[in-house]
Amino acid sequence: MQFLAMLTMLVDHVGLIFYPDQPLFRIIGRLALPFYAYAIVLGYSRTRNAGRYALRLAVIAALSQFPYMLALNDGGINTVGTLLVCLGVLIAFDRFGLPSASAIAAVSAALLELLPFSYGFYALGLVLLYRYVLHYAIGWHFALNIVYAFYKLWLLQMFSLLATFLIVYAPDWLKRLDRLAVPRLVWRSFYPAHLLVLGAVRLILH
């Protein structure tokens, strides 16, 4: 799944930067966020130290911000920063009582929408449904896409359902794909590194 996540994200960003009039790139790229959201859920469930995991994400988000702005010409907060907030909500649900955790989740959701976080609450919605309602994720994901189709006209986001379909109904296939082992250093550095390269190419060509 890591390989698919990296590949679909790369295709998405190449299309966004160099081929904005070619929707196929963006359609393929719609699979990336669900894969990364699910990776956060898996990573959190498997980590021995949630604080260290969060710190690692924070470092990646910080290192990614300038490449993100350079490559995508976007002054918002990059997607890893968004996923860091999502991780914080998961930690809150496990460490605090339901009222406190729910309040933290509500504040986080508001911040994700009010501040220029990449994907906003949409990313948190995916993380929560993969964490708590995985067996019903297709229906919930479809509902989330309908909301954002009206809210932000994210019509192409409907194609992201394919990623959820693979996560829910083809986990064995994804595990077999994981035999294409991605070294940890590549997995952790790919987001800022590929954005930096694409940003440099964008500057050269323009």
Side-chain angles (χ1 to χ4, degrees):
M1 190 185 70
Q2 290 178 331
F3 177 77
L4 272 182
M6 291 163 46
L7 178 62
T8 52
M9 179 175 64
L10 178 61
V11 169
D12 186 46
H13 289 161
V14 168
L16 180 61
I17 297 168
F18 302 112
Y19 306 101
D21 297 326
Q22 301 294 325
L24 181 60
F25 287 88
R26 307 309 313 282
I27 288 171
I28 294 172
R30 296 311 87 212
L31 278 66
L33 180 66
F35 285 139
Y36 275 97
Y38 188 55
I40 288 294
V41 172
L42 288 180
Y44 174 61
S45 67
R46 295 171 179 174
T47 187
R48 296 179 180 178
N49 189 319
R52 186 178 301 170
Y53 184 36
L55 178 61
R56 187 161 62 243
L57 274 185
V59 170
I60 295 172
L63 292 176
S64 301
Q65 189 58 33
F66 173 72
Y68 176 82
M69 296 168 68
L70 176 68
L72 304 183
N73 195 27
D74 189 327
I77 299 167
N78 66 75
T79 305
V80 176
T82 303
L83 292 175
L84 175 62
V85 175
C86 297
L87 175 62
V89 172
L90 294 184
I91 293 173
F93 272 113
D94 284 347
R95 296 192 177 181
F96 302 106
L98 185 59
S100 297
S102 298
I104 292 172
V107 170
S108 299
L111 288 176
L112 287 172
E113 282 299 311
L114 295 175
L115 298 180
F117 281 90
S118 175
Y119 287 103
F121 171 77
Y122 183 86
L124 178 58
L126 286 178
V127 168
L128 292 177
L129 68 88
Y130 290 145
R131 172 69 171 176
Y132 296 109
V133 290
L134 181 60
H135 294 300
Y136 307 100
I138 289 287
W140 283 105
H141 189 177
F142 178 75
L144 187 64
N145 282 349
I146 290 293
V147 170
Y148 274 82
F150 285 98
Y151 174 38
K152 292 190 176 181
L153 298 180
W154 287 2
L155 302 180
L156 288 182
Q157 203 63 30
M158 280 295 177
F159 290 96
S160 64
L161 285 168
L162 177 57
T164 296
F165 180 87
L166 293 174
I167 289 167
V168 176
Y169 296 110
D172 293 336
W173 181 80
L174 290 177
K175 288 179 181 178
R176 286 197 295 271
L177 191 63
D178 280 342
R179 293 174 184 173
L180 299 170
V182 177
R184 285 185 180 180
L185 181 61
V186 174
W187 172 246
R188 293 173 182 175
S189 65
F190 185 79
Y191 186 73
H194 94 282
L195 286 174
L196 187 61
V197 171
L198 292 178
V201 174
R202 177 175 173 269
L203 283 179
I204 293 170
L205 294 180
H206 293 84

